[in-house]
Amino acid sequence: MTDVIAIFPGQGAQQVGMLADLAAEYSVIGETFAEASEAIGMDLWALTQDGPAETLNLTYNAQPVLLTSSVAVLRLIKSHCPALNIVAAAGHSLGEYSALVAADAIDFAAAVQLVRKRGQLMDQAVPAGQGGMAAILGLDEDVVAQVCADASVAGVVEPANFNAPGQIVIAGAAAGIEKAVELAKAAGAKRALPLAVSGPFHSSLMKAAAQDFKQALAAIEWRATEFPVYHNVDNAPAPIAEVQEKLLAQLYSPVNWTGAVQAVRSKSDVAVEFGPGKVLAGLNKRIDKTLATYGAGDLASAKAVMELIQG
């Protein structure tokens, strides 16, 4: 058996045309997208392949598409690798839902519906143009925290994603973000730039979305996970009775990916990123070079992962 840490990407990993080479060779990709499309009444595969990018990138479209992509890639690898043994999982924001599907805590179709609703509520929480996010590169956590505190005179702004050492994303009101970018540059940031996202995700401004999302979470049937899923809010697994609260808090709390990798690291020396792209694999190299992380989101990568697991 090959012990693997399963990791799942979040919003931003999507691209028009992704998984096309995998779908051409393996029917499970198309079958998984068909199942998801039926669950929410829209053709997710057509959106994924044809775009346009502006439509694919809408929060309430990107989230079900990414969850479906991750589950499709996972199903593909599992179908060819009986020796695959997932010993722990973590996901970046939306990826946490993919991890919970992988651990059989929630049915796939229900998860697709849930993240579609999550995306809609996140999109509605702050009117377009009034909030946003920015990436700050080359500053320590404490400096970024001080920058946010100083910029808050212009509007709410908070650390939102601790992606890797020296790579932190902030979120908040548009005016607060603008001021924080200015202050970060003055503090010596290598780069400080606004991100092309529709809202201030993982900030306190998302609490409005959490109120309505609580009902959606409560309507789902949850099961104990087959392996530990490390949650974003505290980088720890939780009993199933606490999962809904963790997912709710995740909406308006920072995602500490650095902490997630450090927390799961003891479980295995190998991690596989199930889903499109290699965003997390890149971050993992910056967090812990001793954790070998492999992408599986294209034909060559998926075949390499299968060979690795089949050993």
PDB file of all heavy atoms in Angstrom, residues 99 115 122 176 208 210 247:
ATOM      1  N   ALA A  99     -12.069  17.482  -0.150  1.00  0.00           N
ATOM      2  CA  ALA A  99     -11.463  16.539   0.802  1.00  0.00           C
ATOM      3  C   ALA A  99     -12.535  15.764   1.561  1.00  0.00           C
ATOM      4  O   ALA A  99     -12.393  14.557   1.801  1.00  0.00           O
ATOM      5  CB  ALA A  99     -10.562  17.295   1.781  1.00  0.00           C
ATOM      6  N   VAL A 115     -21.645  23.648  -2.586  1.00  0.00           N
ATOM      7  CA  VAL A 115     -20.637  24.653  -2.943  1.00  0.00           C
ATOM      8  C   VAL A 115     -21.181  25.659  -3.963  1.00  0.00           C
ATOM      9  O   VAL A 115     -20.718  26.801  -4.022  1.00  0.00           O
ATOM     10  CB  VAL A 115     -19.308  24.025  -3.424  1.00  0.00           C
ATOM     11  CG1 VAL A 115     -18.717  23.149  -2.331  1.00  0.00           C
ATOM     12  CG2 VAL A 115     -19.456  23.261  -4.725  1.00  0.00           C
ATOM     13  N   MET A 122     -21.371  33.822  -1.017  1.00  0.00           N
ATOM     14  CA  MET A 122     -20.134  34.594  -0.938  1.00  0.00           C
ATOM     15  C   MET A 122     -20.175  35.770  -1.907  1.00  0.00           C
ATOM     16  O   MET A 122     -19.716  36.873  -1.604  1.00  0.00           O
ATOM     17  CB  MET A 122     -18.928  33.689  -1.237  1.00  0.00           C
ATOM     18  CG  MET A 122     -18.631  32.683  -0.142  1.00  0.00           C
ATOM     19  SD  MET A 122     -17.396  31.443  -0.612  1.00  0.00           S
ATOM     20  CE  MET A 122     -15.889  32.424  -0.601  1.00  0.00           C
ATOM     21  N   GLY A 176      -9.674  49.799   2.055  1.00  0.00           N
ATOM     22  CA  GLY A 176      -8.697  49.221   2.975  1.00  0.00           C
ATOM     23  C   GLY A 176      -7.612  48.463   2.231  1.00  0.00           C
ATOM     24  O   GLY A 176      -6.423  48.556   2.570  1.00  0.00           O
ATOM     25  N   ALA A 208     -21.848  37.731   6.800  1.00  0.00           N
ATOM     26  CA  ALA A 208     -23.221  37.790   6.281  1.00  0.00           C
ATOM     27  C   ALA A 208     -23.567  36.522   5.511  1.00  0.00           C
ATOM     28  O   ALA A 208     -24.686  36.006   5.595  1.00  0.00           O
ATOM     29  CB  ALA A 208     -23.386  39.011   5.377  1.00  0.00           C
ATOM     30  N   ALA A 210     -22.303  33.599   6.087  1.00  0.00           N
ATOM     31  CA  ALA A 210     -22.331  32.462   7.015  1.00  0.00           C
ATOM     32  C   ALA A 210     -23.722  32.234   7.598  1.00  0.00           C
ATOM     33  O   ALA A 210     -24.129  31.092   7.823  1.00  0.00           O
ATOM     34  CB  ALA A 210     -21.320  32.679   8.131  1.00  0.00           C
ATOM     35  N   LEU A 247     -16.782  24.465   8.902  1.00  0.00           N
ATOM     36  CA  LEU A 247     -17.011  24.961   7.545  1.00  0.00           C
ATOM     37  C   LEU A 247     -17.633  26.358   7.555  1.00  0.00           C
ATOM     38  O   LEU A 247     -17.353  27.186   6.682  1.00  0.00           O
ATOM     39  CB  LEU A 247     -17.909  23.993   6.771  1.00  0.00           C
ATOM     40  CG  LEU A 247     -17.300  22.625   6.471  1.00  0.00           C
ATOM     41  CD1 LEU A 247     -18.335  21.715   5.832  1.00  0.00           C
ATOM     42  CD2 LEU A 247     -16.081  22.750   5.557  1.00  0.00           C
TER      43      LEU A 247
END
